[in-house]
Amino acid sequence: MPHDSFDIWAMADLATPFAVRTAATLRVPDVVKDGPVPLAEIAHRCRAEPDPLGRVLRFLVHHGMFTEPETDVFGPNDLSDALRSDAADSPRAWLDLDGAVGRADLAFVELIEQVRGHHPAYPAAFGRSFWEDLAHNSQLSDSFDELMENKTQDIAPLVVAAHDWSVHSRVADVGGGKGVLLAEILKSAPHLHGILVDLVGPSRNAAAYLDEQGVAERAEVVTANFFEPLPFEADCVVLCDVLGDWDDEDAARILQHCARAAGPDGQVLIVELLPDNDRMAQFTELDLRMMIYAGGRVRDLDRIQQVAAAAGLAVEDFTPLDNGYAVIECRPQR
Ligand SMILES: C[S@@+](CC[C@H](N)C(=O)[O-])C[C@H]1O[C@@H](n2cnc3c(N)ncnc32)[C@H](O)[C@@H]1O
């Protein structure tokens, strides 16, 4: 086969990602972590059917994951160990087809219809929007909060270091999930009062999280919809990884409500991944995911500035972080 054609088949393959995700969802790497295990026992412990599971595992063995030291006995290798639940930086939870993001990835089957302009992908795949889906299923909603917790634990210390919090007294984290970033901000600035704002599911988890982090006394949790006027005042409003979930019009509406809550002298901080030449593969992939999951998009600084301007905000400053994100500081336009 000519080389280019071979590369295209490899790029377009669907068997490998689905086989890896099936193994991840069933937690096969955890079951075989101590050494080879007979297929019947793996299937029993994973609550799966032996014949199809064996065919998936054998396929994966021939693609570099797991070993098969004797027929119908499967063991671990470096790749399966990296997919264990307890591996450092394990991708398992992100690939779990029963979790919010693994499930959302399945909406890529509707990409062609979204591109043709027929319908948005996620509602076509699952009958309702991503956020409605989470609201109807607490297991999905909790899995999403945990994934966001994981992601934000890496980002939060960088955001905290990039901004002078001493000038604020009340900081709100809008769409703040469980409160990972807010907790980190409050820990770094003992004078601050914090407000965590999110929908019912995440805000249910936030109170316990803020308590565990030892900042509950200086924090309140507000359940609110950011498409309606926000029921609090704060001199700094943070939006971390929120605007990318929405199209420009919705993003501007969210910013408008945040700007109103921050008042004429307040600040709105937008934390988002920005494009840079070294990370265009990551940026464009996230852009597609945002489009498929929620009809959103990731933006460059110019486009963020335009959306902010539509909400009456001016970008005053921005601080790039080491991981490709930036903290973009906005104030009401004078
Ligand atoms: C991508 S997550 C980011 C969470 C958190 N800021 C972080 O970075 O870990 C987006 C958040 O927006 C929240 N959200 C979505 N729609 C919302 C709405 N209409 N009102 C308030 N929050 C909403 C979600 O529940 C979720 O926690």
Side-chain angles (χ1 to χ4, degrees):
M1 211 183 292
H3 190 61
D4 286 350
S5 172
F6 184 83
D7 287 348
I8 291 167
W9 280 110
M11 278 179 88
D13 163 50
L14 285 178
T16 313
F18 275 97
V20 170
R21 284 159 190 259
T22 297
T25 305
L26 297 174
R27 299 172 195 251
V28 180
D30 295 354
V31 172
V32 302
K33 69 177 182 174
D34 294 324
V37 178
L39 173 61
E41 188 183 335
I42 301 173
H44 175 70
R45 287 172 59 188
C46 295
R47 297 200 199 127
E49 287 296 320
D51 177 67
L53 178 61
R55 291 156 73 174
V56 167
L57 296 182
R58 193 158 300 113
F59 170 85
L60 287 172
V61 167
H62 290 284
H63 287 76
M65 184 179 281
F66 301 111
T67 59
E68 190 176 12
E70 52 186 292
T71 304
D72 282 346
V73 176
F74 294 93
N77 65 4
D78 287 350
L79 217 50
S80 70
D81 279 343
L83 189 56
R84 277 163 46 179
S85 309
D86 60 358
D89 294 327
S90 173
R92 199 211 68 79
W94 294 91
L95 301 176
D96 189 331
L97 296 166
D98 296 330
V101 171
R103 174 177 162 91
D105 285 342
L106 300 179
F108 267 96
V109 294
E110 297 291 342
L111 174 63
I112 181 68
E113 298 306 327
Q114 181 147 5
V115 169
R116 284 183 171 139
H118 291 166
H119 49 233
Y122 196 98
F126 297 114
R128 51 190 169 213
S129 77
F130 180 73
W131 302 111
E132 285 164 348
D133 217 16
L134 297 195
H136 278 85
N137 183 332
S138 60
Q139 183 216 319
L140 271 191
S141 176
D142 290 351
S143 77
F144 186 67
D145 293 346
E146 272 172 41
L147 291 171
M148 291 302 103
E149 175 182 354
N150 221 306
K151 165 199 76 74
T152 308
Q153 265 160 357
D154 292 339
I155 299 174
L158 303 177
V159 175
V160 167
H163 184 72
D164 178 9
W165 303 95
S166 69
V167 298
H168 304 300
S169 58
R170 287 170 66 81
V171 173
D173 188 0
V174 172
K178 270 178 133 164
V180 175
L181 177 56
L182 184 67
E184 195 76 16
I185 295 169
L186 293 180
K187 282 192 256 179
S188 79
H191 70 286
L192 274 183
H193 182 84
I195 306 157
L196 189 287
V197 186
D198 210 304
L199 298 171
V200 176
S203 60
R204 198 177 37 221
N205 292 328
Y209 182 83
L210 294 167
D211 194 33
E212 269 167 36
Q213 297 298 309
V215 294
E217 278 180 10
R218 290 185 288 125
E220 65 191 279
V221 177
V222 173
T223 301
N225 175 358
F226 50 44
F227 289 111
E228 291 168 8
L230 292 167
F232 63 84
E233 287 178 4
D235 55 338
C236 176
V237 177
V238 183
L239 282 164
C240 176
D241 266 335
V242 168
L243 297 184
D245 296 331
W246 304 96
D247 65 21
D248 287 350
E249 208 176 302
D250 283 339
R253 281 169 64 208
I254 296 167
L255 278 172
Q256 231 165 28
H257 288 135
C258 292
R260 242 172 250 156
D265 300 317
Q267 226 177 11
V268 177
L269 303 186
I270 300 170
V271 181
E272 286 284 333
L273 187 72
L274 289 186
D276 81 42
N277 288 341
D278 295 338
R279 289 193 174 86
M280 284 315 287
Q282 180 194 359
F283 184 80
T284 52
E285 182 187 334
L286 188 64
D287 188 45
L288 277 193
R289 286 172 180 269
M290 294 301 99
M291 177 174 87
I292 292 297
Y293 297 175
R297 67 183 317 130
V298 288
R299 300 174 176 85
D300 61 17
L301 189 58
D302 277 353
R303 195 159 183 146
I304 290 178
Q305 257 163 335
Q306 286 164 22
V307 171
L313 289 166
V315 172
E316 276 195 323
D317 199 2
F318 91 104
T319 310
L321 308 180
D322 283 349
N323 58 359
Y325 277 73
V327 179
I328 300 155
E329 301 186 0
C330 307
R331 277 194 196 274
Q333 284 164 337
R334 302 276 173 203

